[in-house]
């Protein structure tokens, strides 16, 4: 026996080896039982033991001129939502990097040479042990030209999309931006909410657009734990001032149960992407408690105003096609008609503000140390604001506030008549289920009784969350929400984005299924509703500001076809729109989606 190796130490070593062998056997059995993946038909499938490495979204810039500013984020997604740390360990001397928002802000200088070299280190952590599982290195360079160059632009959309579905052309949006800058739109929202909430005897004071804008920034700062967007902080970045916000997309949504206008504002001065999206309607009252005749009145009025603005007979008005200025003025007028609408014969038919969804890469998904330094995360978080009375200087005043996000579909089943699919609470939320957990039923939407709010599991029992991010409420997204109906089940698409949480909608690599397959909506067809397809990953943002992805293309095609159906079903007009999905949209658009 060698010196220092006693029989007792040998026995101890043997025991350790036996324990290690037992642990390996246990881990092998456990990994065969875990079910982190879900099939396209709604049934859970046995787990693949492979853990995918994080995906890095390639930076779109390949060259830039001296003195020409570019900004970009280091976008990383992990298939299993594992914790990921992203570090920029090499960059040009003149490039600025915000570690909390994973954002590069670079205006190249002559001293940077002929190219800027970047190196990104990505560390993936085992969620159970907090030990790094793997480390990836991503290198890329951006050539530096002596003069400014043409930077990448989003490919143009088909004419029907760019004029009727997702209007993003800056020239087409010019008049709308002039007439409806963000504070003007917030002024209108303030007036709408005052007419809804202020009564002679409740003592609530009104607000204005400038104050609502400040409220919005402060709420974003609170949600993302980022003082740079708090107007009352000494660290406030003045790039977030109101004059730097632009209307970058107008979306008339007529594939919903309640037609509405979505207006997407983005800050165009700050390096970080930050979006605020007022949702405007022309009907008041709670959705689930509203008589269907009122919903149909909203939809028919919305469709009529839209048709009268952009169509002449079955065709787009000639000016809408040839002259972007003429189109832009018509678009601005349409926005005005919606946000100022009043029917003197029906008090319910007045312009209405539904909510202010928002998403930003300001640090809301980051894990920070006790000193506020970045540890890991992707920076993105999403939420929603509404106008409510708050206490301020001893008075009750209307203000924007971060409120719980509306519920999402957790399970899809046939209705009692077997004529349609409806959202129902998954077992954990259903008091009639053996798997019900007390208190979780409080998350069921009080209006529709089917959708379920994202649980904030820091409270017990959980309350509805005011934030959604990749790392937030993982058990809900990976287990409770998909126990009966897979995230890739195409029946989820019946309920629009409520079929998945906000972040699942913004981070995906699967299609929504066959849009024209009627079996997706018909329980009598059985399980023959097809599958979803793997498509290129969509990284966080649902506005085509960097590319027109496969998801965008498919979604826009559907909405063109649906618009044909809306004009047919509500106005009895067969408009001439080239829809690659169908010459005659087969679905009854009077039903709509959530």
């Amino acid at each position: 026996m060698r010196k220092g190796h006693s029989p007792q130490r040998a026995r101890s070593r043997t025991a350790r080896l036996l324990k290690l062998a037992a642990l390996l056997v246990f881990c092998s059995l456990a990994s065969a039982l875990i079910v982190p993946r879900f099939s396209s038909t709604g049934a859970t499938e046995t787990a693949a033991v492979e853990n995918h490495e994080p995906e890095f979204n390639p930076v779109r810039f390949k060259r830039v001129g001296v003195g020409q500013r570019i900004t970009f984020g280091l976008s990383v997604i992990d298939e299993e939502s594992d914790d990921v740390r992203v570090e920029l360990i090499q960059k040009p001397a003149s490039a600025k990097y915000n570690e909390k928002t994973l954002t590069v802000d670079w205006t190249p200088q002559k001293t940077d040479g002929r190219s800027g070299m970047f190196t990104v280190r990505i560390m993936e952590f085992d969620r159970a042990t907090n030990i790094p599982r793997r480390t990836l290195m991503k290198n890329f360079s951006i050539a530096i030209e002596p003069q400014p160059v043409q930077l990448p632009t989003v490919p143009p959309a088909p004419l029907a999309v760019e004029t009727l579905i997702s209007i993003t052309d800056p020239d087409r949006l010019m008049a709308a931006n002039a007439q409806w800058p963000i504070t003007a739109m917030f002024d209108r929202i303030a007036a709408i909410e005052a007419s809804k909430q202020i009564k002679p005897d409740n003592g609530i004071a009104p607000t204005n657009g400038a104050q609502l804008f400040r409220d919005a920034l402060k709420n974003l700062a609170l949600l993302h734990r980022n003082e740079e967007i708090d107007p009352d902080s000494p660290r406030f970045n003045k790039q977030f001032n109101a004059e730097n916000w632009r209307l970058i997309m107008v979306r008339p949504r007529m594939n919903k149960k309640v037609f509405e206008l979505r207006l997407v504002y983005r800050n165009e001065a700050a390096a970080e992407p930050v979006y605020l999206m007022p949702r405007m309607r022309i009907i008041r009252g709670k959705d689930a408690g509203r008589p269907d005749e009122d919903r149909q009145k909203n939809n028919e009025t919305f469709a009529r105003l839209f048709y009268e603005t952009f169509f002449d007979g079955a065709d787009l008005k000639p000016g809408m096609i040839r002259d972007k200025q003429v189109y832009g003025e018509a678009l601005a007028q349409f926005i005005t008609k919606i946000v100022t609408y009043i029917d003197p014969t029906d008090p319910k038919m007045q312009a209405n503000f539904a909510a202010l969804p928002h998403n930003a890469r300001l640090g809301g998904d980051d894990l920070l140390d006790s000193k506020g330094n970045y540890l890991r995360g992707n920076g993105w978080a999403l939420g929603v604001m509404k106008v409510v009375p708050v206490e301020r200087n001893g008075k009750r005043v209307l203000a924007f506030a971060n409120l719980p996000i509306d519920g999402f579909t957790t399970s899809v089943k046939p209705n009692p008549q077997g004529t349609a699919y409806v959202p129902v609470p998954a077992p954990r939320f259903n008091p009639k289920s053996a798997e019900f957990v007390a208190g979780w039923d409080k998350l069921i939407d009080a209006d529709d009784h089917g959708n379920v709010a994202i649980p904030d599991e820091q409270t017990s029992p959980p309350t509805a969350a005011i934030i959604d991010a990749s790392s937030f409420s993982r058990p809900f997204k990976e287990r409770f929400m998909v126990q009966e109906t897979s995230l890739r089940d195409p029946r989820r698409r019946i309920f629009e984005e409520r079929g998945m949480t906000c972040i699942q909608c913004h981070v995906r690599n699967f299609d929504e299924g066959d849009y024209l397959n009627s079996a997706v909506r018909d329980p009598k067809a059985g399980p023959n509703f097809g599958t979803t397809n793997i498509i290129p990953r969509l990284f966080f943002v649902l506005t085509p500001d960097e590319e027109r992805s496969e998801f965008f293309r498919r979604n826009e095609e559907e909405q063109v076809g649906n618009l044909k159906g809306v004009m047919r079903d509500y106005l009895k007009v067969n408009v001439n729109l080239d829809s690659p999905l169908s010459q005659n949209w087969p679905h009854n658009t009077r039903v709509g989606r959530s």
Side-chain angles (χ1 to χ4, degrees), residues 1-2 4-17:
M1 183 176 294
R2 288 182 295 171
H5 283 233
S6 66
Q8 182 177 356
R9 294 184 64 182
R11 286 193 299 271
S12 176
R13 181 171 179 270
T14 301
R16 287 198 301 271
L17 289 174

Side-chain angles (χ1 to χ4, degrees), residues 273-330:
V274 187
Y275 303 88
L276 295 171
M277 188 181 75
R279 295 169 48 207
M280 310 300 295
R281 298 174 176 177
I282 52 178
I283 185 69
R284 298 188 176 182
K286 291 187 176 181
D287 288 350
R290 181 186 298 117
D292 194 61
E293 62 187 51
D294 289 348
R295 177 178 73 87
Q296 299 294 0
K297 190 172 183 180
N298 170 88
N299 293 356
E300 184 173 348
T301 303
F302 192 103
R304 176 177 53 78
L305 293 174
F306 186 83
Y307 173 80
E308 291 172 352
T309 300
F310 298 108
F311 285 91
D312 183 4
D315 300 303
L316 278 171
K317 293 179 179 178
M320 302 298 102
I321 300 172
R322 295 192 297 263
D323 193 324
K324 290 184 179 181
Q325 181 177 350
V326 170
Y327 172 90
E329 291 170 353

Side-chain angles (χ1 to χ4, degrees), residues 127-143:
R127 205 185 299 172
T129 65
N130 204 32
I131 297 173
R133 176 184 281 118
R134 55 167 68 92
T135 299
L136 307 174
M137 306 296 288
K138 302 292 182 180
N139 301 297
F140 62 94
S141 63
I142 301 175

Side-chain angles (χ1 to χ4, degrees), residues 21 71 83 177 263 455 547 550:
T71 64
D83 285 330
N177 264 304
L263 305 165
E547 62 177 345
E550 176 69 8

Side-chain angles (χ1 to χ4, degrees), residues 416-461:
Q417 298 77 31
T419 57
Y421 286 113
V422 295
V424 297
R428 188 177 188 86
F429 310 90
N430 186 356
K432 298 180 181 180
S433 168
E435 299 175 52
F436 170 64
V437 177
W440 287 70
D441 55 325
K442 303 301 182 185
L443 299 172
I444 298 174
D445 193 296
D447 284 339
D448 58 36
H449 308 293
N451 292 305
V452 171
I454 302 170
D456 183 346
E457 295 177 311
Q458 302 302 311
T459 59
S460 182

Side-chain angles (χ1 to χ4, degrees), residues 522-549:
D522 184 8
K524 295 177 182 177
N528 303 313
F529 41 73
T531 61
T532 51
N533 306 308
I534 302 297
I535 61 175
R537 176 77 72 179
L538 187 72
F539 279 72
F540 301 109
V541 183
L542 285 182
T543 54
D545 57 345
E546 293 191 1
E547 62 177 345
R548 182 155 265 105
S549 66

